[in-house]
């Protein structure tokens, strides 16, 4: 078993890999200066959204869910793009971002969103990632609609330090603030998920259990570190020091997939990112994700993603100007 400190790093590494592989373009953000009464509605979309409460408080209500009260210093992440409303109090009328400001959030990146009122002020930083809809990683399905980490829960953690830096940067805005805030929000996505997973020791199920498991967690890290290696169940079990049959059962019961099924999913996730973000030849990408045959790679990719690799790349490169909303 790895030491606890290393296990936490391992959680961050695997979570960070998945977040990076699923995002499309860079993080976009806006600062919201809101005086009650106010409300803003966000429709369900393939966009992961994070809120950091810089000052004041507000209510977040996911579509069909219960109201969640967020206080100063809290962080809330909606990892799968669930529709939701944020407002000074529950039940407040909530126009959409476009209705209020004339554009969607990604078109307003690095700008201040202001609602004037006579009541208490709330200051938020809202960050967002566009998500690649396919291939869908099973990790996302394991998360709640809203991942909420309170200021008390993050005290003394890396997440707490990142929130403090973000608050300071927003309060002392200068010429370099947009780049710094974008980088800090990038960290917050991973740190928020890491903090949430590490805070689940008494109710470990699914991926929370997998990332904590002393055999499955290291195996996931190995697959993520080198997806192109010709892994076998026997090799993975040997590497983590667990008998093959026991390892297979634990891997399947926590991730919902056999080790080789998950390896296939992760290889196609990595391949999709390489196709979106670069122009390496298909045969090179095939080798990087463990395929000697370009034909075998293309067949596997189409089965998982729904498009042949060449068509998938063409689709994304035609719209690459839209992939990063800040362009």
């Amino acid at each position: 078993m790895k030491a606890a400190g290393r296990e936490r790093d391992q959680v961050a590494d695997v979570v960070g890999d998945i977040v990076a592989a699923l995002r499309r373009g860079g993080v976009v953000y806006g600062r919201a200066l809101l005086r009650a009464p106010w409300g803003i509605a966000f429709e369900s979309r393939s966009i992961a959204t994070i809120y950091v409460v810089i000052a004041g408080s507000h209510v977040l209500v996911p579509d069909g869910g219960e109201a969640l009260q967020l206080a100063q210093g809290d962080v809330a992440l909606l990892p799968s793009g669930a529709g939701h409303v944020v407002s000074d109090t529950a039940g407040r009328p909530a126009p959409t971002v476009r209705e209020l400001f004339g554009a969607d959030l990604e078109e307003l990146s690095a700008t201040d969103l202001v609602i004037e009122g006579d009541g208490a002020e709330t200051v938020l930083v809202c960050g967002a990632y566009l998500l690649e809809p396919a291939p869908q990683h099973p990790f996302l399905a394991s998360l709640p609609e809203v991942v909420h980490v309170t200021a008390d829960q993050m005290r003394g953690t890396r997440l707490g330090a990142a929130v403090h830096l973000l608050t300071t940067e927003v309060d002392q805005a200068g010429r370099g603030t947009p780049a710094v805030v974008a980088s800090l929000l990038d960290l917050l996505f991973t740190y928020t998920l890491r903090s949430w997973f590490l805070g689940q020791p008494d109710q470990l199920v699914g991926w929370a259990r997998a990332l904590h498991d002393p055999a499955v967690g290291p195996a996931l890290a190995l697959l993520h570190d080198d997806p192109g290696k010709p892994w076998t169940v026997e090799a993975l079990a040997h590497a983590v020091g667990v008998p093959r049959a026991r390892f297979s059962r634990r891997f399947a019961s926590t991730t919902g997939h056999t080790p080789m099924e998950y390896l296939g999913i992760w290889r196609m996730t990595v391949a999709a990112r390489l196709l979106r973000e670069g122009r390496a030849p298909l045969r090179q990408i095939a080798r990087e994700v463990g395929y000697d045959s370009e034909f075998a790679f293309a067949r596997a990719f189409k089965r998982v993603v729904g498009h042949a690799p060449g068509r998938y790349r063409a689709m994304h490169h035609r719209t690459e100007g839209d992939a990063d909303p800040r362009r």
Side-chain angles (χ1 to χ4, degrees), residues 235-258:
L236 282 169
H238 177 75
V240 299
V242 175
R244 181 188 183 282
R246 189 192 310 168
F247 169 73
S248 294
R249 287 194 299 270
R250 284 164 64 169
F251 197 102
S253 68
T254 54
T255 69
H257 298 275
T258 69

Side-chain angles (χ1 to χ4, degrees), residues 193-216:
L193 291 172
R194 174 183 180 272
S195 180
W196 183 81
F197 275 116
L198 291 172
Q200 308 297 308
D202 297 326
Q203 46 183 331
L204 295 182
V205 294
W207 273 83
R209 182 180 166 204
L211 291 168
H212 284 80
D213 189 280
V216 178

Side-chain angles (χ1 to χ4, degrees), residues 99-116:
E99 290 170 336
L100 283 168
F101 304 110
D104 291 327
L105 178 63
E106 55 265 38
E107 301 171 277
L108 298 168
S109 187
T111 61
D112 284 345
L113 311 178
V114 180
I115 296 179
E116 298 287 358

